[in-house]
Amino acid sequence: MNVHLASSSTLEKVPAALRSWLATPRPMLINGKWVQARSGKVFEVQDPATEMHLATVAEGDAADIDDAVRAARNALENGPWGRMSPSARGRLVHRIGDLILEHLDELAQLESLDNGKPFSVARVADVPLSADMFHYMSGWSTKLEGKHIPISGLAAPGQYLSFTRLEPVGVVGQIIPWNFPLLMAAWKLAPALATGCTVVLKVAEETPLSALRLGELLMEAGLPDGVVNIVPGFGETAGAALAAHPGVDKIAFTGSTEVGRLIVQAASRDLRKVSLELGGKSPNIILDDADIDAAIAGATAGIFFNHGQCCNAGSRLYVQEKIFDKVVSGIAANAGNIKLGVGMDPATEMGPLVSQVQYGRVTGYLKAGQEEGARALTGGTRHGERGFFVKPTVLVDTKPDMKVVREEIFGPVLVATPFKDADDGLIAAANDSIYGLAAGVWTRDIAKANQIANRLKAGTVWVNCYHVFDSALPFGGYKQSGWGREMGQAVLSNYLEAKAITSRIA
Ligand code: NAP
Ligand code: MG
């Protein structure tokens, strides 16, 4: 392997201990042990800002997934985990959140180097939100209550006692993407652990590092061996093996709608339970009575946060005619002022896209859009000579059937369309998508805002704000944006089975 170290400009900014962690080939976590792949294979992790080598990671495939699933089954059925009291389990989950906060800077540095996002953003968003997910979920461990249910049917009153018991669904296979590597691991692991499941986690090939460091913290917290197993590797091998493994009771997936479909196919043979958090092409609607400055700032962040690599990005902007020019020129001006650079540079506001592949996808859309007649008010091209940087872009003169309007770009590209009245036509345009993940509405008229919010086919609607996430709020999609919900009380049902127990008592 041809190894170049990531540029001194990035690695110099992290402590020596982290540099040496990165310089050591990273093994995978199976049954509480850090092991190499059975095949002995490794893969290279790249710094997307410099295109240079960042780390070497064990490449898991079907054989390692099989080991991990067995370990998870054994931990579920024979280990101390299944006998742990709900209170003790909750304290352990809480401790994981504490450890994440104790390693705030280190985890934010890893996230920045691996994914490309600014360190400053990872430090205030990704890492604290990940910790909060464990803290929030830890409280549910002691509150997984069934119900006493009075029955009628053929039974005489008082002859039977019926109640439900909520039990962990079992061994869970979890597959996560690269856009929020640590946070996606937290969204998946925290509810699975709070409910008493055991896990095999397949992390994204582009960004395995923060989850591997989290694995070390899980062991430090005292999680019993085999409760969480972390296997880095490729989707087509490790991911596919996990989705099809007969020893897995449930698959939880976040990623593209395309791969979501493959997961469903793989799980369908044994009718394994599946939850999916998939793509989006979310409408953000600005009415002419909105606070225009707030709407411009909100729509800018709505699309450009995390370089547009958010499943819920406000990527389709609808602006009422009268204020269209003012709003789009305001967003374009903001976009033009965003400082692109290496994530570890404190001045950086936007980093590179995560990989060469994503860079190719996004620039491909920019080219296709402009060939179909869309006009870039700002951006529209790559930035710089090195790294996967794309300029924040605002496209106007679009038509509803253009690829850039219909498909998820997953990059810093906004398509803006004017509308005349906030009527059925606007609702139809906003809902004209195979996706239904999120939406935004900007207006000072709260009644109108709620009328529109009620009619949008989306799992989340933000009014006069965007990207407001909380561990307590359910998140997920209508239509092809997914099955089930992440976070909040709602996610618990992804990881629980309800058992009805009836005793004859008369
Ligand atoms: P992806 O292919 O859906 O990857 C997500 C996860 O699924 C990764 O861990 C991936 O492994 C794994 N995977 C891939 N093929 C698989 C298979 N056949 N069986 C099981 N697991 C498999 O997403 P991507 O290719 O990285 O990005 C493509 C597009 O997906 C983006 O442009 C965006 O539109 C969408 N996306 C959505 C989200 C979201 O949060 N909803 C997140 C990321 C991407 P590898 O890492 O090895 O490929
Ligand atoms: Mg990387």
Side-chain angles (χ1 to χ4, degrees), residues 175-179 202-206 233-236 239-240 243 253-256 259 262-263 277-279 311 358 361 408-410:
I175 300 176
I176 57 171
W178 42 258
N179 53 344
K202 205 299 273 177
V203 295
E205 159 252 321
E206 292 85 350
F234 294 94
E236 296 72 15
F253 171 78
T254 295
S256 61
V259 173
L262 296 176
I263 300 287
E277 203 264 278
L278 307 174
C311 48
Q358 284 305 111
R361 273 177 61 106
E408 181 178 48
I409 298 177
F410 225 69

Side-chain angles (χ1 to χ4, degrees), residues 145-147 149 163-169 273 492-493 495-501:
E145 298 168 353
K147 272 185 193 165
I149 301 175
F163 63 94
T164 53
R165 220 177 103 80
L166 301 182
E167 298 180 351
V169 70
K273 294 179 172 55
L492 300 172
S493 64
Y495 296 105
L496 291 167
E497 294 274 19
K499 179 182 283 177
I501 299 183

Side-chain angles (χ1 to χ4, degrees), residues 254-277:
T254 295
S256 61
T257 292
E258 198 186 335
V259 173
R261 230 172 250 123
L262 296 176
I263 300 287
V264 170
Q265 280 164 16
S268 71
R269 198 192 52 201
D270 303 321
L271 297 180
R272 231 183 312 289
K273 294 179 172 55
V274 177
S275 55
L276 303 169
E277 203 264 278

